[in-house]
Amino acid sequence: MPVIMRRSDKATSHSNEEVVLATSSLQGERRVAIVRVVVVLLMALSQVVIAGFGGETYSAPVDGVRLQVMGAYVVFSVVAIVVLLLQKPHPDRARWLPVPTTLADTSFFSFMAWHTWRISGVFDAGMLCASLGMVLAFSVVRYSWWHVLLSTVLSGGGYALLAWLTGHGSVARTSFVLICYAALGALIALTNSDVGGMFLNLRRRDGLSRFLPRQVVERVMQLGDDSLQPVQRDVTILFSDIRDFTALSETLDPGQVLELLDDYFGHMAHIVMARHGIVNKFLGDGMLACWGVPDAREDHAELAMRAALDMRARLEDINAQRILRGQPALRIGIGLHTGMVAAGMLGGAEQHEYTVIGDAVNLASRVEGLTKSHGVDILVSERTWQMAGEHFVGERLGEAHVKGRREAVVVYSLQGPRSGEDAPPVLRAAAGT
């Protein structure tokens, strides 16, 4: 049996994930660039204004080299913002873009500390430790673990090198700082991995939910894409449509038609899902739903019949509101049939859907078409009635010939549940009450 996801589909899925992460990474780099400019301004404020008003006995030496380096870093910070604002998300750029900025940040703070020590003989280990720790903290917004590793190595290496060059850091103190950097880097990497995974899962769940039934989405999220391999299974199909919808739609503008269908399908789809079925597709004013896939259930026929009764009851509520607004009542026909179908994913990498195919689907549609000639709103095939009819009240209406089948189809009207066997809470939940 072929697997559901072809190599091209998996490659496209992986590519989409990379684009999502690249978008998030670019947004993060933009935030870092803004923070970098703010940090430069605050550094100038603390070293000049605050130090002056605070009566500091020591101030960092200011010479031509220091001013040039600070000016270059300011220019770099501003240019980084402009470049990042003009960039578009791209997986390759997301991989290398943090490298030059991390190198620039660690080089700047390390050079400033070294230059201050060379001119004045003062090595402020606390300021260097804090500034390089801030550079390491920038990697919070970078999704790749090796970006975090790069920041950790550069920050730790810069501190250790300067502590050794200046002779102001003992082995014990330096190793303590490096251990703290390593712990912080590991925590950031693990957190980024977890958050990135959750972010991708949320985006994927949201994307899948737009095109696949809830049960199918949950199965994919829990078991992976290959969990939806094609299967042949006995299921119950429900097909419904709105009577005389063409004539009704001719009296409405397109926006009103879409509003009507959106409200109607919203109620009916809720009922199907509340009864553990899946809405396979909407076909104009028709709806195809099924029970028994993707997860097998022994009670699929009973659930489908109860859903049909819930839809009838919900339509009465909808019509009551429509009549109050001066709108015509809606009438629907519902046909149910149980049979063997092939269920699985169809389509390519760009678009696909989970669907059911087989004679049972066609026959459910034919049974629904018989509701008009029999003057009822719900018809059930004999196969479906045999599986769950004991739970319901109905009437055998006899045999009928349908297009495309040589054998006659025996149908039953579905009047309601047997006394004491209904489940009102599900109907109330589906009705949104």
Side-chain angles (χ1 to χ4, degrees):
M1 182 176 294
V3 296
I4 179 172
M5 294 290 289
R6 293 180 288 271
R7 289 184 178 179
S8 59
D9 298 338
K10 291 183 178 180
T12 299
S13 177
H14 179 69
S15 176
N16 291 337
E17 290 182 356
E18 287 192 329
V19 171
V20 169
L21 290 175
T23 302
S24 176
S25 178
L26 180 59
Q27 293 173 346
E29 289 298 326
R30 289 169 177 169
R31 296 188 186 101
V32 168
I34 294 172
V35 170
R36 184 183 292 113
V37 173
V38 173
V39 166
V40 171
L41 296 176
L42 292 178
M43 283 175 56
L45 180 66
S46 66
Q47 295 296 305
V48 179
V49 180
I50 297 178
F53 281 103
E56 296 280 347
T57 59
Y58 164 78
S59 61
V62 178
D63 62 355
V65 174
R66 187 181 183 90
L67 291 176
Q68 290 176 6
V69 172
M70 291 184 66
Y73 190 67
V74 170
V75 172
F76 162 75
S77 301
V78 174
V79 171
I81 292 179
V82 175
V83 170
L84 289 169
L85 290 176
L86 296 177
Q87 288 283 339
K88 293 184 178 180
H90 191 279
D92 290 337
R93 285 195 292 270
R95 295 186 184 96
W96 65 259
L97 199 56
V99 176
T101 56
T102 303
L103 286 170
D105 290 333
T106 53
S107 299
F108 171 73
F109 290 112
S110 298
F111 175 83
M112 296 297 283
W114 174 80
H115 185 68
T116 299
W117 168 78
R118 191 177 65 85
I119 298 298
S120 66
V122 176
F123 175 66
D124 195 329
M127 291 186 66
L128 177 62
C129 183
S131 58
L132 292 178
M134 179 185 64
V135 174
L136 176 56
F138 285 167
S139 60
V140 168
V141 301
R142 293 160 181 158
Y143 70 90
S144 176
W145 65 268
W146 78 268
H147 292 151
V148 182
L149 178 62
L150 176 66
S151 298
T152 304
V153 170
L154 291 178
S155 297
Y159 182 87
L161 178 62
L162 284 174
W164 175 71
L165 287 176
T166 61
H168 286 77
S170 65
V171 175
R173 291 179 178 179
T174 302
S175 62
F176 178 77
V177 173
L178 297 183
I179 290 172
C180 290
Y181 280 170
L184 179 59
L187 181 61
I188 292 174
L190 292 173
T191 302
N192 284 2
S193 177
D194 291 341
V195 173
M198 289 187 290
F199 178 68
L200 285 177
N201 284 337
L202 287 173
R203 288 289 297 265
R204 191 178 188 212
R205 183 186 295 274
D206 181 64
L208 291 173
S209 298
R210 297 176 185 272
F211 305 101
L212 298 177
R214 181 187 62 189
Q215 297 93 322
V216 177
V217 173
E218 292 300 326
R219 190 180 184 92
V220 172
M221 295 302 297
Q222 293 176 11
L223 304 176
D225 295 322
D226 291 340
S227 64
L228 294 181
Q229 293 183 0
V231 296
Q232 285 190 330
R233 188 173 295 161
D234 206 37
V235 303
T236 297
I237 304 294
L238 181 150
F239 189 88
S240 72
D241 75 351
I242 301 175
R243 301 271 181 84
D244 303 320
F245 183 76
T246 301
L248 175 62
S249 62
E250 289 176 351
T251 65
L252 305 173
D253 61 47
Q256 291 174 316
V257 173
L258 289 176
E259 183 179 358
L260 186 157
L261 289 176
D262 184 60
D263 179 68
Y264 166 77
F265 283 137
H267 290 295
M268 299 308 169
H270 197 165
I271 289 172
V272 170
M273 290 186 288
R275 291 293 187 182
H276 308 291
I278 66 171
V279 176
N280 186 250
K281 56 174 64 76
F282 300 117
L283 305 165
D285 61 306
M287 182 180 75
L288 177 64
C290 56
W291 283 258
V293 289
D295 297 314
R297 294 186 65 111
E298 295 294 331
D299 58 347
H300 55 83
E302 179 185 351
L303 290 170
M305 294 171 74
R306 293 196 185 280
L309 293 175
D310 292 346
M311 291 170 64
R312 171 195 283 166
R314 187 60 185 139
L315 183 64
E316 293 178 359
D317 296 336
I318 294 174
N319 282 335
Q321 296 297 320
R322 289 180 60 82
I323 291 173
L324 288 176
R325 295 194 295 264
Q327 298 171 332
L330 300 178
R331 295 182 302 122
I332 64 173
I334 301 174
L336 296 99
H337 176 63
T338 300
M340 191 68 64
V341 300
M345 298 290 286
L346 287 181
E350 299 301 325
Q351 182 174 347
H352 50 261
E353 67 173 1
Y354 186 82
T355 190
V356 290
I357 299 173
D359 183 63
V361 179
N362 298 328
L363 187 53
S365 175
R366 303 301 185 195
V367 170
E368 185 279 325
L370 294 173
T371 58
K372 297 179 182 179
S373 59
H374 284 81
V376 296
D377 59 343
I378 304 176
L379 280 180
V380 180
S381 72
E382 184 176 37
R383 175 75 195 289
T384 304
W385 190 265
Q386 288 173 346
M387 293 190 65
E390 60 183 347
H391 301 288
F392 301 92
V393 177
E395 179 183 357
R396 187 181 189 275
L397 300 182
E399 298 179 348
H401 289 276
V402 296
K403 183 179 179 180
R405 292 182 67 91
R406 290 178 297 177
E407 298 179 357
V409 178
V410 178
V411 292
Y412 291 75
S413 65
L414 181 59
Q415 299 171 5
R418 291 194 181 276
S419 178
E421 293 201 16
D422 196 14
V426 175
L427 177 56
R428 288 199 295 270
T433 59

